[in-house]
Amino acid sequence: MPAQLVRMINTGRALLVSALAASLFASGCAHSANSTAAAKAARDKAAPLIASGLAKMNRGDAHGALADYNAALSADPDSAVALYDRGAVEYRLGQYRAVIADFRAARSKADAGAPLASLTRYYSELYGGIADEYVADYSSALADERAALALKPSSALARLNIGFSYAQTGRYHDAILEYARAIGEGARTAQAYTLLGWSRVQTGNSRQSIDDFNTALRIARRYPLAYADRGVAESNLRDYNDAIADFSTALHLDSNDAWLFDQRCDAYNDVADYSDAMYDCTRAIHLAPRFAEAFVDRSRTNINQGDFRDGIADASAAIKYVPGYAMAYNNRGYARQMVGDVRGAFADYAMALHYSPDLALAKENRAWLISWVNQNRDVPQWQPELANLTTAMEEPAPQPTGDAYAQLSQNCGNHYDSGSDYYSECMTWGLDSAQASEQDDKDQAQAAVEDAQYAQQQAENDAAQAQQDAQYNQADQEAAAAQAQDDANYASSDTSSDSYSEPAPEPEAPVDDSGGG
């Protein structure tokens, strides 16, 4: 029976949208407001500290700037400008939770009457939303980015980020609409077209997505993610050789991306090139030792080569890192089936269908095994294994709730709560048997993790990769010349709006109480 895998795409992908912003400095000027003498004195004391922080940030001294902004806030705790400026520095340092807190506090102070320029508020909403993306709080990100768009309806960057947040929550159709609007409003960049194409892939429209990736690559010939995502679309369309070529180009441009190695491994598996598949999956695991998808794809390679023990070990490692990984259970079940562990195979198929009830491959594998059991119950060789196998053990059990769940938790301890494949065994065969089998799998999983060290021993493969890289050199020179010509043509014909060229959040100048704005 084939041991095909359902591809789990979008693993390990970095947040991209914030990189679309230019890294230009631009200081704003807040409006003046009436204040009491005490408030004015506090602001007067904070103003030179804010100015000093801005100067230090312009010189690249982020930590010195933070010290000045902290001092400014000690002098004037109600300063929206100092809060915003501190958040801007924290954004540059990657301290995204602090960014979120300071930008929200700045807006709160502004709502209470503290001076803050309207454009600065827009930046606080936009980049506060991007910071929300970095901490995976997409609900807050959408709220902030929509607020930014309300303040500046022409902002293509706000629309791109709204689209990105939609995509991260599975709303790919909404993401496509926002990306298309952003592109229509001037965000005609390789990143924008790649994001649009990726969302089309997620909605099953791989053929149209290739047009988006082609457009992205006409804009930026050396953009690795466009090659990688086009490779995924080509794999979905079963154009495996084209996919391998695109993954190889992407790896030439970004040779330390575990996700890319795993995607090429998957494509090599699809064309039965198991030697190259083994190398790529092992390299992916070397680069990302907890990369569950790479372990699953390498288990597929091992199984297809008849190495069922290593297939079990790799699938077990994937389950260790992602307990609810249905395809890992399916692969391990198939490998167990092939080594004669019928009960273990049924337990794994049960868990695969528990986590993914519509996983067709697990259904097919289980149905085949049920048929085989019915045909072999009376065969002397298999009687010890099949004698006490009941129909209930062959079927996936529904997830228990209420009192049933409480009873299972008490009986099986952490085996059920951790998502272990042995919850069905706890229900039918007893905890002792489950614990004994689980220890075996832990030993095998540890062996699989240690296999990641093979990547360092692949000198021959590395030499082959180096030779392939050398072959790209001449093509790169030609591509660079073509890119320069394309850039010149694009620049001369570009009619995009100025709204897309927006700076990253910048420290704001101290308030001018004389009324300047």
Side-chain angles (χ1 to χ4, degrees), residues 50-341:
I50 295 174
S52 175
L54 178 60
K56 289 178 180 178
M57 193 61 196
N58 285 333
R59 295 196 300 269
D61 181 9
H63 294 286
L66 277 179
D68 283 341
Y69 294 137
N70 287 335
L73 286 166
S74 295
D76 182 10
D78 294 326
S79 173
V81 171
L83 285 165
Y84 172 82
D85 287 0
R86 187 171 69 178
V89 176
E90 291 160 344
Y91 184 93
R92 298 301 178 88
L93 295 174
Q95 299 172 1
Y96 298 113
R97 294 192 185 279
V99 172
I100 294 166
D102 277 346
F103 282 178
R104 287 177 180 171
R107 295 194 296 270
S108 177
K109 298 295 185 184
D111 290 342
L116 190 69
S118 60
L119 184 60
T120 304
R121 186 180 186 111
Y122 158 77
Y123 284 130
S124 77
E125 297 280 13
L126 176 62
Y127 286 92
I130 296 174
D132 289 326
E133 291 174 6
Y134 274 109
V135 300
D137 183 359
Y138 297 110
S139 176
S140 296
L142 279 170
D144 288 342
E145 290 153 4
R146 285 169 178 156
L149 188 63
L151 290 168
K152 192 176 181 182
S154 63
S155 174
L157 187 55
R159 286 202 181 277
L160 281 175
N161 279 275
I162 290 171
F164 186 85
S165 294
Y166 278 145
Q168 296 307 301
T169 54
R171 297 173 59 180
Y172 293 109
H173 291 287
D174 290 330
I176 289 170
L177 291 175
E178 291 298 334
Y179 292 147
R181 290 170 183 166
I183 290 169
E185 292 175 2
R188 294 192 294 275
T189 66
Q191 294 95 329
Y193 281 104
T194 301
L195 289 169
L196 175 60
W198 184 254
S199 285
R200 292 196 202 278
V201 169
Q202 299 299 316
T203 60
N205 194 355
S206 292
R207 195 166 300 280
Q208 187 175 358
S209 75
I210 290 178
D211 293 335
D212 296 322
F213 300 135
N214 290 341
T215 301
L217 290 169
R218 283 196 294 271
I219 296 171
R221 291 177 183 271
R222 297 178 60 84
Y223 187 41
L225 193 59
Y227 286 107
D229 288 357
R230 189 171 69 179
V232 172
E234 289 161 342
S235 288
N236 290 346
L237 296 171
R238 301 183 183 277
D239 296 331
Y240 300 121
N241 290 326
D242 288 342
I244 290 169
D246 273 340
F247 293 140
S248 296
T249 301
L251 282 166
H252 171 66
L253 298 169
D254 184 0
S255 61
N256 291 313
D257 190 321
W259 182 79
L260 286 174
F261 275 109
D262 180 60
Q263 291 302 305
R264 194 171 67 174
C265 166
D266 203 15
Y268 278 135
N269 275 328
D270 288 327
V271 297
D273 182 352
Y274 301 124
S275 176
D276 284 330
M278 178 64 70
Y279 171 77
D280 277 354
C281 275
T282 303
R283 178 57 64 88
I285 292 167
H286 173 68
L287 292 169
R290 299 174 65 87
F291 191 1
E293 186 181 358
F295 279 109
V296 165
D297 288 341
R298 195 170 70 174
S299 77
R300 177 189 179 189
T301 305
N302 282 318
I303 290 169
N304 285 333
Q305 293 186 110
D307 187 354
F308 302 115
R309 293 293 180 185
D310 283 344
I312 290 170
D314 279 337
S316 297
I319 292 167
K320 174 183 177 182
Y321 298 127
V322 181
Y325 201 158
M327 188 56 73
Y329 286 107
N330 173 79
N331 285 13
R332 191 172 71 178
Y334 182 82
R336 281 177 160 173
Q337 169 184 322
M338 298 305 292
V339 298
D341 181 4

Side-chain angles (χ1 to χ4, degrees), residues 313 316-317 320-321 440-452:
S316 297
K320 174 183 177 182
Y321 298 127
D440 290 340
D441 286 340
K442 285 182 178 179
D443 293 341
Q444 292 170 334
Q446 181 60 36
V449 174
E450 292 171 357
D451 283 348

